[in-house]
Amino acid sequence: MNDKKRVLLILLLLMIGIGGTGCMNAGNDSNFEERALAYIEDKYDREFEKEWVKVGSDVFANLYGEEKLTVHPKENPEVVFTIQKDGQDFVETYIPAKWASELQTMLEEDISKELPEGAEFKVNLRNTNFNESMSELSVDEFLAENKNVTVSVIIGIKTEGKPDVDQYSQGIYNIYNLVKNLEVKKYVVSVGLVDESEDISDFIRTSYVNNITWSNLDAKVYGEVNVDERLNPDQPSDMIDDSLILHSPANIAENYEAFGE
């Protein structure tokens, strides 16, 4: 082996060693959970409980991320959010998660009446760009001044065998219009048609943080309907086929994607 190759091999081994050490150190940061919980509890003067923790890398944080703790307030398991290590500081999303819970309470009656028995749903609020001065605002007050956000409604409808999407079209269409009327920049209604034997409660409950789509959910999902602001007939996107635009409930079925067919 010539000197140039030997040097390259040594550098490669050093890089692998450093990467492994970074991951090991992150995994052995036994104080992270304790420090993160102490931080969030001191900040909001309430108790929080752990959902799960993601181990990151101190050395390759841009590639693998840093440690991230998912928690909920002890008194309310529905408000699920994350606390992430950012160097020596923490970044957390409690306030957007709390606002989303408030928004769900506001919309719950109107959404529920459009869905069949046994359906589950979660309202999420993303891309809020909030700052600490907004922490005392209600979701009404926040949305009155901040329209550059994304509101999503994640819905699971249980079916006995292959679904007849048409029977849910009017309800999904009405929910879409309900969210559209919030007049935020982006909005989406995502509906999974799931076999009645499946338990999707935890997936729905943690949908703000779990980054799992209907297509890769570990459950028997027949298909999904995703409708968003691009399908608004008042301002349709040039990139979208007109047959998909939501002129009426009839267009809901056109936006249905079946899985495994």
Side-chain angles (χ1 to χ4, degrees), residues 148-188:
N148 189 22
V149 299
T150 301
V151 174
S152 63
V153 183
I154 312 300
I155 302 169
I157 294 179
K158 300 288 190 71
T159 71
E160 184 179 1
K162 186 177 178 180
D164 175 8
V165 180
D166 287 333
Q167 73 179 99
Y168 310 115
S169 293
Q170 184 68 61
I172 296 172
Y173 180 77
N174 291 346
I175 293 170
Y176 174 83
N177 282 296
L178 176 69
V179 179
K180 181 180 74 174
N181 289 339
L182 294 173
E183 298 182 341
V184 295
K185 183 175 182 179
K186 294 186 177 182
Y187 45 92
V188 58

Side-chain angles (χ1 to χ4, degrees), residues 37-46 90 92 130 132:
L37 276 172
Y39 167 80
I40 202 74
E41 291 181 345
D42 181 66
K43 184 174 182 178
Y44 294 109
D45 192 26
R46 65 183 60 206
F90 294 105
E92 45 84 15
F130 76 101
E132 296 298 324

Side-chain angles (χ1 to χ4, degrees), residues 164-216:
D164 175 8
V165 180
D166 287 333
Q167 73 179 99
Y168 310 115
S169 293
Q170 184 68 61
I172 296 172
Y173 180 77
N174 291 346
I175 293 170
Y176 174 83
N177 282 296
L178 176 69
V179 179
K180 181 180 74 174
N181 289 339
L182 294 173
E183 298 182 341
V184 295
K185 183 175 182 179
K186 294 186 177 182
Y187 45 92
V188 58
V189 178
S190 177
V191 185
L193 286 302
V194 184
D195 192 81
E196 63 181 0
S197 65
E198 300 289 354
D199 182 357
I200 58 170
S201 298
D202 208 50
F203 164 71
I204 296 290
R205 184 180 69 85
T206 64
S207 58
Y208 177 54
V209 299
N210 64 31
N211 295 321
I212 299 173
T213 62
W214 288 113
S215 60
N216 65 17

Side-chain angles (χ1 to χ4, degrees), residues 83-99:
I83 313 165
Q84 186 162 358
K85 189 176 177 183
D86 183 19
Q88 296 303 310
D89 299 319
F90 294 105
V91 175
E92 45 84 15
T93 55
Y94 173 61
I95 297 302
K98 182 176 73 72
W99 282 334

